[in-house]
Amino acid sequence: MAFLSVNNISKSFKEEKVLQNLSFDVKKSERVAIIGGSGDGKSTLLRLIAGFDYLDGGQIELNGQIISSELSHMAPESRNIGMVFQNYALFPHLNVMENICFGLGVDRNETDVKKYILMLGLEGMEAKYPHELSGGQQQRLAIGRSLILRPPLMLLDEVMSNVDVLNKNSLIKDISNISRELDLTLLFVTHDIRDAVALCDRFLFIEDGKLVQDGTLNEIRANPASDFIMAHLNLIFR
Amino acid sequence: MVLRASTIIITVFLISPFLFLFVDIDWPFIISIIKKHWQSDFHWTSLKLMALVSILSLFWAIIPAWLIASKDFFGRSILSVLHLMPLCIPAYILAYVYDGVLGAYGTLMSYTGVYFDIKNIWGLTFVLSLALYPYVFLLTKISFSRQSYDLINAARSLRQNRIQRFAKVIIPLSLPAIIGGLFLLNMEVLNNFGAVSFYGLKTYTTEIIRLWNPMDLSPVKYLGISLLLLLMLFLILDYIYFRNKEVYESSGANVGYDRNKLSGYKNWLAFFVCLLPVLFALVLPVCQLLIWGVPLFIEQLDSGFLELIINTLAVALLACFVCVLLSLFLSSIKHMLKEPWIDKFSRLWGLGYTVPGVLLGVGILLIASDLSKLLGIGLSLSVFTLAAAYTLRFNAVSYNALDSAFKKFPLNIREASYNLGKNKHHTWLKVDLPLIRPSLIAALILVFVEIIKELPLTMLFHHFNFETLAIRAYILMETDGAIYEASVPSLIIIFISFIPIWYLNSKSQ
């Protein structure tokens, strides 16, 4: 049974159709990359899954429960889906510790908090504010803040786009290890196939709001469905 | 060289009233006087009033500001403008209108037989909060509308409900703006003379005006120093709280709410919540003033009244042009030369507006008194001293308007002009000046409106035979049985202020 099921969803903003009849399933613990160009609807797709926007048509199910459809919409805070934003969206008025513990109640487990701070390499920075951290540290904080709530599904929206190459490699390694350790299901939106290959096992290509191809790297390489996908593959298999 | 020297001279001119407060000071004596002041009634009434007006103003301002910034509902656009309009009504006018409506023998009593004695700290809190809440509303609304909705969405994905998001993200992110609005509001509370004295309370300003005597300046000087030290205490606390929290407002993508449309009862609830402060601060008082004033208009509009209007307009226009020219010079120098020391100096250019007017008045009187002795002419109470006082106080208003216009210049536009062979003066004339023209007009209007309404400074410096609309309104409202007559100058003040503010708002929208 699919853990996340996206069925025939559509979304328009004013007259512009951003997503058109998009469908796919994701299994538990799968790491799926959503690849597309700018304006192709990748981030809109994540926002719909997270519940920040409303569907025009179709439905989304998580663990067998309908979380979005034309008729019903579960609030984002009730979905138990973690999301890491492209610009990190760290709370500037809170320090590292307060950002990490933001979603936890007063009965939080301090040992658990310390474990995550250590795991993300943020020890000694607990009292610092986001603007005092480097880009890589900010990114780790954004990931840690979501992970500490142990969501079964994590959405990563272009999280590598503001990180330099050296930090990117270590970050990918960390996300990969953590997701295995916590048995997370990942949906990773990116415009760069190289980042996707380093982190994911399955790839969805979106062009103009439509799903063009879905498969493993070998499957896609064997039969690329468009010039856009071909151009992406050339970046890896030159 | 000339430009730099002029900048230094103007800066010294702008801060001179504060420097003069500290000339010839006997510090041990001053400390004992300050101790006495800080234990007195007027000190505690000032503090109590500031706290109470702040709380009630937050009630009027925060929820409407958030609704207008983040939701779409019936009447949103017009309410957004109407929330600024109470700024056109000086607090002293609102004070006597509410006393005339709710007090003994007032409108309410004539219909129902019931009246409320509002001439106390609670009534004054109600009136001042209605007159001044737009300061908090305006800054908070701007801050709310610049918040990143990614942050709100992040809070949602971290399982925070509506109330938690409001309390833990939306309000803390706008705290600097709320504090900034409250700071301006409290300076106006401290500066208020008309409403406070009409309701029979004592604050720093009423004490300074009571003890005002150009022949003996010591009492007001000591009061001024006490007040300045109190303000410095607030500024230090503000600095301590915010020193590490530099990046508050979001920049970059996803700034501003995607206003969702409210429907059903939520639509009407939002409308009424936003209408309530406008009803009390604007609609009700203006209607009452019209009922009182319209029948008396023809009777009062004689040659003496015309002279009053001319006096008001003349002194306002004189000070307003001086203010704007000064600000134009200062902001142009700052952005043209881009030298770090000028940038540091520029923080002093707004000092006159960030402190209560009477404090500035005390400093100006000290200077005028010394100059009078030096030149052998009476300068202390003259139209020119009054115009200088207005300039020193309201220069900040015009400077801020022009400074923000300069900050919005397209990147490298001045460099493009230099690159095309034009020198700095030519560039200023052909590039800078046309680009800031709308802000220049806005600055003129804002300063003009402020001066028309200003009472404490006008009370301090007007000559006995020189009256303005504000003084006439105040004298009439203080005169027993002349409350209806006071509505005529009051209505003219509101009308003169209303038109330009409405014009500016429609332009900015």
Side-chain angles (χ1 to χ4, degrees):
Chain A
M1 188 181 136
F3 178 63
L4 173 74
S5 181
V6 174
N7 299 317
N8 211 24
I9 63 165
S10 301
K11 178 72 186 171
S12 300
F13 289 111
K14 291 182 181 161
E15 296 301 303
E16 193 190 348
K17 285 182 179 170
V18 182
L19 291 175
Q20 298 175 59
N21 308 107
L22 199 90
S23 298
F24 63 91
D25 287 342
V26 177
K27 287 187 215 127
K28 181 90 184 93
S29 312
E30 218 178 355
R31 295 187 294 188
V32 180
I34 298 166
I35 305 163
S38 118
D40 277 338
K42 322 181 285 294
S43 292
T44 304
L45 174 62
L46 280 203
R47 293 175 61 80
L48 288 169
I49 296 169
F52 302 138
D53 289 329
Y54 290 80
L55 284 176
D56 292 341
Q59 68 177 34
I60 301 171
E61 285 175 44
L62 183 70
N63 223 357
Q65 185 186 8
I66 297 173
I67 53 171
S68 281
S69 73
E70 276 176 274
L71 303 172
S72 65
H73 181 90
M74 185 188 276
E77 53 271 32
S78 310
R79 293 188 179 206
N80 202 13
I81 294 175
M83 177 148 176
V84 183
F85 295 81
Q86 184 177 3
N87 61 358
Y88 316 135
L90 295 170
F91 301 113
H93 59 297
L94 304 178
N95 62 28
V96 168
M97 184 59 125
E98 290 162 340
N99 261 288
I100 286 263
C101 298
F102 186 85
L104 299 172
V106 279
D107 54 342
R108 68 188 185 215
N109 182 341
E110 294 296 337
T111 323
D112 215 25
V113 174
K114 276 184 192 143
K115 188 184 103 185
Y116 277 93
I117 287 179
L118 208 65
M119 193 157 72
L120 292 155
L122 292 169
E123 66 276 16
M125 293 173 195
E126 291 87 340
K128 287 193 172 178
Y129 283 88
H131 69 273
E132 296 171 310
L133 303 178
S134 70
Q137 288 164 341
Q138 289 186 11
Q139 189 60 274
R140 284 164 191 275
L141 177 56
I143 293 167
R145 185 179 67 173
S146 285
L147 281 180
I148 204 162
L149 297 175
R150 294 179 179 272
L153 173 64
M154 276 286 277
L155 311 175
L156 309 175
D157 187 6
E158 299 268 16
V159 291
M160 304 297 167
S161 59
N162 296 326
V163 185
D164 61 67
V165 181
L166 287 177
N167 270 309
K168 195 187 276 187
N169 291 339
S170 92
L171 198 63
I172 287 173
K173 214 167 114 190
D174 285 350
I175 296 174
S176 190
N177 291 338
I178 292 167
S179 67
R180 276 208 188 90
E181 194 183 320
L182 300 178
D183 195 25
L184 288 176
T185 308
L186 286 188
L187 266 188
F188 174 41
V189 155
T190 181
H191 60 270
D192 190 336
I193 195 168
R194 288 166 295 192
D195 294 342
V197 168
L199 188 65
C200 301
D201 333 296
R202 191 179 142 202
F203 308 87
L204 306 181
F205 280 89
I206 294 182
E207 288 178 48
D208 294 328
K210 290 176 193 154
L211 184 62
V212 187
Q213 196 160 16
D214 174 359
T216 62
L217 190 60
N218 285 336
E219 286 164 357
I220 289 171
R221 192 184 177 190
N223 188 22
S226 72
D227 291 345
F228 173 77
I229 298 171
M230 195 68 189
H232 269 274
L233 291 172
N234 284 341
L235 288 172
I236 322 172
F237 303 109
R238 266 187 287 225
Chain B
M1 191 63 199
V2 177
L3 293 178
R4 287 174 182 85
S6 311
T7 309
I8 295 170
I9 291 167
I10 293 171
T11 307
V12 171
F13 165 70
L14 291 173
I15 61 166
S16 55
F18 307 102
L19 299 177
F20 261 73
L21 278 175
F22 294 97
V23 172
D24 288 338
I25 287 280
D26 178 4
W27 280 105
F29 177 66
I30 266 286
I31 289 166
S32 69
I33 287 273
I34 288 171
K35 269 188 191 165
K36 206 175 113 194
H37 285 162
W38 284 22
Q39 287 165 352
S40 61
D41 274 357
F42 66 82
H43 174 78
W44 289 108
T45 308
S46 301
L47 290 183
K48 223 189 296 180
L49 199 59
M50 285 162 75
L52 290 172
V53 176
S54 297
I55 293 167
L56 197 55
S57 299
L58 288 174
F59 172 77
W60 299 126
I62 299 290
I63 301 291
W66 179 70
L67 285 170
I68 286 171
S70 65
K71 309 285 174 199
D72 194 9
F73 54 92
F74 174 75
R76 193 195 73 85
S77 304
I78 186 85
L79 281 166
S80 174
V81 180
L82 287 177
H83 271 286
L84 301 180
M85 290 301 148
L87 287 175
C88 302
I89 309 179
Y92 53 88
I93 294 178
L94 216 56
Y96 87 76
V97 170
Y98 268 104
D99 186 53
V101 172
L102 302 174
Y105 309 108
T107 312
L108 184 72
M109 195 178 167
S110 65
Y111 287 108
T112 63
V114 178
Y115 76 94
F116 297 97
D117 180 15
I118 61 163
K119 282 192 163 181
N120 51 45
I121 196 162
W122 303 106
L124 187 59
T125 299
F126 176 71
V127 163
L128 287 180
S129 67
L130 288 174
L132 304 173
Y133 86 89
Y135 287 108
V136 184
F137 170 84
L138 182 64
L139 295 186
T140 312
K141 191 194 85 174
I142 292 171
S143 170
F144 283 156
S145 55
R146 284 181 186 164
Q147 275 181 5
S148 158
Y149 62 76
D150 270 354
L151 288 177
I152 316 295
N153 281 337
R156 297 189 86 179
S157 76
L158 294 168
R159 302 174 194 170
Q160 304 297 298
N161 64 32
R162 206 181 290 264
I163 295 166
Q164 286 171 318
R165 291 197 297 272
F166 195 71
K168 288 167 77 176
V169 181
I170 296 170
I171 290 290
L173 283 175
S174 289
L175 212 53
I178 295 170
I179 303 278
L182 284 177
F183 184 81
L184 284 176
L185 173 138
N186 279 308
M187 290 309 102
E188 289 293 327
V189 171
L190 280 176
N191 187 43
N192 192 280
F193 169 70
V196 177
S197 70
F198 186 66
Y199 278 36
L201 275 88
K202 282 183 187 170
T203 61
Y204 274 97
T205 296
T206 58
E207 277 303 283
I208 287 173
I209 291 180
R210 187 177 68 81
L211 298 171
W212 190 255
N213 178 7
M215 298 299 126
D216 179 14
L217 299 173
S218 308
V220 288
K221 181 174 169 175
Y222 298 145
L223 266 173
I225 292 172
S226 290
L227 181 54
L228 192 62
L229 292 178
L230 182 70
L231 292 179
M232 282 165 72
L233 201 67
F234 284 126
L235 288 173
I236 291 167
L237 288 176
D238 181 76
Y239 170 75
I240 291 170
Y241 183 76
F242 284 112
R243 66 184 159 175
N244 277 331
K245 301 171 181 173
E246 285 175 34
V247 187
Y248 261 76
E249 279 196 357
S250 318
S251 54
N254 299 337
V255 169
Y257 290 92
D258 193 10
R259 280 195 290 266
N260 61 314
K261 200 166 172 55
L262 298 178
S263 57
Y265 80 93
K266 284 182 182 172
N267 181 38
W268 292 108
L269 190 64
F271 171 73
F272 284 114
V273 166
C274 292
L275 183 70
L276 198 68
V278 174
L279 213 59
F280 285 132
L282 185 74
V283 180
L284 214 116
V286 170
C287 288
Q288 182 62 86
L289 280 171
L290 285 169
I291 292 167
W292 286 341
V294 168
L296 299 171
F297 242 94
I298 306 297
E299 190 185 305
Q300 282 210 15
L301 283 180
D302 54 10
S303 60
F305 204 86
L306 204 66
E307 195 187 323
L308 204 64
I309 296 175
I310 291 169
N311 277 351
T312 309
L313 293 179
V315 74
L317 285 172
L318 173 69
C320 157
F321 276 106
V322 176
C323 261
V324 172
L325 283 177
L326 216 60
S327 304
L328 178 63
F329 175 79
L330 291 172
S331 50
S332 301
I333 291 294
K334 181 184 162 187
H335 291 275
M336 208 159 69
L337 299 183
K338 286 185 179 147
E339 290 177 9
W341 70 271
I342 297 182
D343 203 44
K344 286 197 176 98
F345 263 44
S346 71
R347 288 170 204 173
L348 299 170
W349 298 338
L351 214 56
Y353 198 63
T354 51
V355 297
V358 280
L359 188 59
L360 189 74
V362 174
I364 293 169
L365 186 67
L366 291 166
I367 298 172
S369 159
D370 280 2
L371 274 177
S372 298
K373 279 180 204 157
L374 199 73
L375 302 172
I377 48 167
L379 277 176
S380 298
L381 302 176
S382 70
V383 175
F384 292 105
T385 319
L386 181 60
Y390 284 151
T391 307
L392 285 162
R393 176 139 173 81
F394 298 119
N395 172 65
V397 176
S398 50
Y399 168 72
N400 286 340
L402 297 178
D403 188 49
S404 59
F406 273 111
K407 281 180 184 161
K408 285 177 195 151
F409 267 26
L411 203 64
N412 296 332
I413 194 157
R414 220 180 263 117
E415 285 76 0
S417 170
Y418 301 153
N419 190 248
L420 293 166
K422 304 295 175 196
N423 64 22
K424 281 186 172 170
H425 300 106
H426 192 273
T427 302
W428 183 81
L429 214 60
K430 296 286 178 190
V431 178
D432 291 25
L433 212 52
L435 281 174
I436 58 159
R437 206 179 57 184
S439 299
L440 215 54
I441 296 167
L444 274 169
I445 288 174
L446 289 173
V447 176
F448 179 76
V449 169
E450 287 283 356
I451 294 174
I452 293 284
K453 293 189 308 172
E454 172 69 25
L455 182 66
L457 274 182
T458 321
M459 288 289 287
L460 293 180
F461 291 108
H462 83 284
H463 199 260
F464 63 91
N465 60 2
F466 182 86
E467 257 187 14
T468 64
L469 284 166
I471 291 179
R472 173 67 67 90
Y474 178 71
I475 290 170
L476 286 172
M477 77 189 218
E478 281 283 4
T479 312
D480 277 343
I483 197 159
Y484 295 172
E485 283 81 352
S487 59
V488 178
S490 304
L491 277 170
I492 296 174
I493 292 172
I494 295 170
F495 183 72
I496 294 175
S497 312
F498 194 81
I499 301 286
I501 294 278
W502 188 274
Y503 166 80
L504 264 189
N505 229 292
S506 58
K507 278 274 172 195
S508 71
Q509 299 239 333

